[in-house]
Amino acid sequence: MGKQVLITGSSRGIGKETALYLAQNGFDIILHCNKNIQKAEEVLKSIQNLGVKGRILQFDTKNREECKKVITDDIQKNGVYFGVVLNAGIARDVVFPVMEDDDWDSVLETNLGGFYNVLKPIVMPMIENRIKGRIIAMSSISGLRGNYGQVNYSASKAGIIGAVKALALELAKRKITVNCVAPGVIESDMTKELPADEVRKLIPMKRFGTAKEVASLVNYLMSEDAGYITGQVISVNGGLY
């Protein structure tokens, strides 16, 4: 059996590109989706065409019990994971004075709560089986510098950074690395509504990044060569700080 990697939110965007990139480099891929199973199945076919194994897990990262059951059942059936990429997340952009309670709760529960809900049933089996594994969480430049209209999103992504740094300390003696990737403005569904010309003026490289450029970093952090890198936040941002 090859090294298995779970990638949450992998039916589109950065998650999809990461799944394909890792598959091209020989990892067996566990795709995840919440609702859009059809798109996940399309990604699965592409992965299988690369000659590696793949499967799909469907659960809501906000739902702790569902995460625990689906992931635990999968590990018992298919074995312990080597790595996990915590990519699933949402944004509900609105300025704070008119932000609704659900705008805050949904983003924090999905983005930051999902960190706990997904990792909790994965980490102990990694430890018990002495897997020198890899945990990679997607933060954002918004979690590093804040962003207008994103108090909820920035809070969730900054929280992920803190969680990654603390967990990296706890798991270092187990030879499990824990790192954070913080994308800048990346071409995706989440950024397609932005005023592209105005945003490009703010980016020193004068362009949006690509999902593949993020995926290539994830691939490196998942590799044996990155075994001494842990507790780090690496931003893929075209010079935008």
Side-chain angles (χ1 to χ4, degrees):
M1 180 181 291
K3 292 180 177 178
Q4 302 186 101
V5 178
L6 169 66
I7 305 168
T8 64
S10 44
S11 62
R12 61 179 184 170
I14 291 173
K16 173 184 175 180
E17 195 65 45
T18 298
L20 294 172
Y21 206 111
L22 292 180
Q24 289 167 359
N25 284 275
F27 291 96
D28 290 340
I29 304 299
I30 308 160
L31 298 167
H32 158 262
C33 68
N34 182 12
K35 297 178 180 178
N36 203 333
I37 189 70
Q38 183 177 349
K39 284 191 175 296
E41 288 172 345
E42 292 172 0
V43 181
L44 179 60
K45 289 179 182 178
S46 297
I47 286 169
Q48 292 171 334
N49 287 339
L50 293 169
V52 299
K53 295 178 181 178
R55 60 184 181 276
I56 300 170
L57 300 184
Q58 190 170 10
F59 57 84
D60 183 354
T61 60
K62 296 195 304 296
N63 188 321
R64 186 166 300 161
E65 291 304 315
E66 187 177 31
C67 289
K68 181 179 179 180
K69 184 181 188 312
V70 172
I71 292 171
T72 299
D73 288 351
D74 186 64
I75 289 174
Q76 290 175 348
K77 181 179 180 181
N78 297 294
V80 182
Y81 305 161
F82 169 77
V84 56
V85 182
L86 299 163
N87 172 73
I90 63 170
R92 289 192 179 180
D93 296 353
V94 59
V95 292
F96 189 78
V98 295
M99 183 177 291
E100 299 289 343
D101 291 349
D102 188 57
D103 295 328
W104 176 268
D105 293 342
S106 293
V107 171
L108 268 292
E109 289 169 8
T110 300
N111 299 357
L112 186 54
F115 179 96
Y116 178 87
N117 297 341
V118 173
L119 278 186
K120 193 62 166 60
I122 292 174
V123 170
M124 188 56 75
M126 292 175 77
I127 293 172
E128 291 172 343
N129 288 269
R130 299 184 179 182
I131 303 295
K132 297 177 182 178
R134 303 283 188 266
I135 296 170
I136 301 167
M138 287 291 170
S139 181
S140 167
I141 193 170
S142 185
L144 291 169
R145 66 192 291 268
N147 196 26
Y148 184 90
Q150 289 192 324
V151 173
N152 50 0
Y153 188 75
S154 294
S156 70
K157 293 300 186 177
I160 287 172
I161 291 172
V164 161
K165 288 182 173 293
L167 187 59
L169 295 176
E170 294 182 7
L171 297 182
K173 64 183 178 182
R174 308 289 185 176
K175 307 299 187 291
I176 299 171
T177 67
V178 188
N179 290 291
C180 205
V181 174
V185 186
I186 306 297
E187 294 175 353
S188 69
D189 289 344
M190 291 183 71
T191 60
K192 66 182 181 181
E193 301 300 328
L194 295 176
D197 291 340
E198 294 301 315
V199 174
R200 287 192 193 98
K201 293 177 183 178
L202 303 175
I203 304 170
M205 283 193 174
K206 305 302 180 187
R207 69 172 178 88
F208 287 12
T210 67
K212 186 175 182 178
E213 288 170 318
V214 179
S216 67
L217 174 59
V218 174
N219 181 69
Y220 171 68
L221 292 173
M222 199 67 68
S223 72
E224 291 186 9
D225 290 342
Y228 201 56
I229 300 173
T230 196
Q232 301 306 302
V233 182
I234 306 175
S235 191
V236 183
N237 58 30
L240 179 64
Y241 293 99

